[in-house]
Amino acid sequence: MTVSQITTHILDQVTGRPAAGVGAVLYAVADDGGVEVLAKGVTNTDGRIRDLGPEELPIGVYRIEFATGEYFAATGTATFYPTVSLTFTMDNPAEHYHVPLLLSPFAFSTYRGS
């Protein structure tokens, strides 16, 4: 398995466990706001997607959209967020970009991972 330039990891803050089975879509965002789907994935049992997109991407704006509503529905948990979209700028093509998501039914946070 190759590790892509953009990876993600989701932790369920209610259970304190990785959020397995969460769908995610990686988009490239154009200057005019249009988007292009680059990759789709689902978090593994450790809550990670290591192969979300190609090994190399150009400088630009990207978005990861997480199917959080489907994840919470599968656990029988009501949620305020049917999806979570994280838009970020990739400004150094030599770096790896890890985009983690800390998730609960009524809140979420993220940070620039390493």
Side-chain angles (χ1 to χ4, degrees):
M1 173 185 70
T2 343
V3 174
S4 59
Q5 189 167 12
I6 296 174
T7 58
T8 190
H9 184 207
I10 306 174
L11 294 175
D12 184 324
Q13 296 291 274
V14 174
T15 65
R17 311 267 317 140
V22 179
V25 179
L26 174 65
Y27 298 93
V29 181
D31 291 340
D32 65 2
V35 296
E36 174 189 354
V37 174
L38 298 179
K40 296 179 181 182
V42 177
T43 57
N44 63 18
T45 56
D46 194 33
R48 297 179 185 275
I49 304 176
R50 297 179 191 271
D51 57 352
L52 189 60
E55 290 181 51
E56 294 181 24
L57 289 165
I59 290 171
V61 176
Y62 296 90
R63 177 180 304 141
I64 303 175
E65 186 169 293
F66 299 94
T68 53
E70 293 174 15
Y71 167 74
F72 282 118
T75 66
T77 306
T79 183
F80 185 67
Y81 300 104
T83 62
V84 170
S85 294
L86 303 178
T87 303
F88 57 96
T89 301
M90 194 179 87
D91 56 7
N92 185 343
E95 290 185 8
H96 172 84
Y97 285 75
H98 185 64
V99 185
L101 177 63
L102 305 174
L103 184 62
S104 76
F106 299 98
F108 65 89
S109 65
T110 188
Y111 56 95
R112 167 72 196 268
S114 58

